[in-house]
Amino acid sequence: MGALTDDPAFQATTFVVIDFETTTPSGYPAQPIEVAALALRYEKGMWRETGRSTSLIRPPAFAPVTPADTAQTGLTPEQLRHAPTPADVLGALDRRFVAGNQYLLVAQHAATEANVIHHQREHCPALAHVDFLDTIPLAKHLVPGLANYKLDTLLARFSIQQPADRHRAYADVDVTAQVFTRLITAADGSPQLSDLAALVKIAGRTAKCNQPVQSGLFDL
């Protein structure tokens, strides 16, 4: 297509679009109740899906599904009562990341997903060390002037049909992936986005596990 997608580093990267649905208990970080991930590689001029995963997750007792959560996602406490634990779900997802392969996570407003993963890092140590691309700063760079950069706004901008189950992780991952690939098509025509490093400079977010830890002033 263009300079970006011709970059060997870009072609060597598996882009994993990820989305969580969560509860937000008072006094605790957001707790996952559903996760979906969709792995994409750019090969021979086209995108290829290389893996997909989705699962409900049983929240801990301190983070029950509320009526507001159900109104947002459609998920009910009954649906999650016998779902697997975060350790089981995120552990299984973590094992799909192969040591030595190059990955980037892709998310709409990546800070949300980054925080969930960081708080669950004991269950997914490999996943917790994968950096992100955030579709919001990328869209701001490539499609300036929108009223906002919410997912629904980007779907409308790119004429992507709203999924029937909007705010379910598996549906949001699919449309986020469509937004991402449309943005990459636009990026291929941008002189400022000539390779993966330039893409990361504009839209990258370092995983919290990869950020340097500042030692105390008086550590001995």
Side-chain angles (χ1 to χ4, degrees):
M1 285 174 59
L4 173 60
T5 52
D6 284 340
D7 176 31
F10 185 93
Q11 295 183 2
T13 299
T14 299
F15 298 91
V16 182
V17 187
I18 192 165
D19 184 78
F20 288 94
E21 301 302 328
T22 64
T23 62
T24 52
S26 178
Y28 294 92
Q31 299 294 309
I33 56 175
E34 187 176 37
V35 63
L38 171 60
L40 300 170
R41 288 287 297 269
Y42 191 83
E43 299 173 348
K44 298 180 179 179
M46 65 181 62
W47 289 100
R48 182 170 71 89
E49 180 180 324
T50 61
R52 183 183 288 261
S53 175
T54 184
S55 180
L56 297 176
I57 302 173
R58 185 169 74 246
F62 64 78
V65 173
T66 67
D69 296 325
T70 300
Q72 173 85 350
T73 66
L75 291 170
T76 65
E78 290 73 21
Q79 287 176 279
L80 298 170
R81 185 166 293 126
H82 300 294
T85 65
D88 289 337
V89 173
L90 295 177
L93 179 59
D94 197 64
R95 290 189 289 274
R96 301 185 73 163
F97 287 78
V98 179
N101 288 0
Q102 182 171 314
Y103 299 95
L104 281 173
L105 299 175
V106 177
Q108 170 78 7
H109 192 247
T112 300
E113 272 61 40
N115 284 334
V116 173
I117 290 170
H118 186 69
H119 287 300
Q120 299 288 333
R121 62 191 180 278
E122 66 178 302
H123 307 313
C124 51
L127 177 62
H129 282 86
V130 181
D131 293 333
F132 276 86
L133 290 176
D134 192 329
T135 52
I136 291 179
L138 185 57
K140 287 181 177 179
H141 176 80
L142 293 167
V143 194
L146 298 183
N148 61 64
Y149 288 85
K150 296 177 181 179
L151 182 56
D152 289 338
T153 303
L154 294 176
L155 296 182
R157 170 63 178 78
F158 289 113
S159 301
I160 298 169
Q161 185 175 356
Q162 282 268 354
D165 291 330
R166 177 77 173 89
H167 296 298
R168 289 294 302 273
Y170 59 83
D172 286 359
V173 151
D174 277 334
V175 292
T176 300
Q178 291 181 57
V179 168
F180 174 65
T181 58
R182 303 285 181 89
L183 289 170
I184 295 301
T185 298
D188 252 353
S190 170
Q192 294 175 290
L193 290 166
S194 58
D195 55 22
L196 182 65
L199 182 67
V200 169
K201 185 175 181 180
I202 286 173
R205 182 181 183 90
T206 304
K208 289 188 175 183
C209 285
N210 295 335
Q211 294 175 4
V213 177
Q214 185 176 0
S215 60
L217 292 176
F218 303 105
D219 286 350
L220 299 177

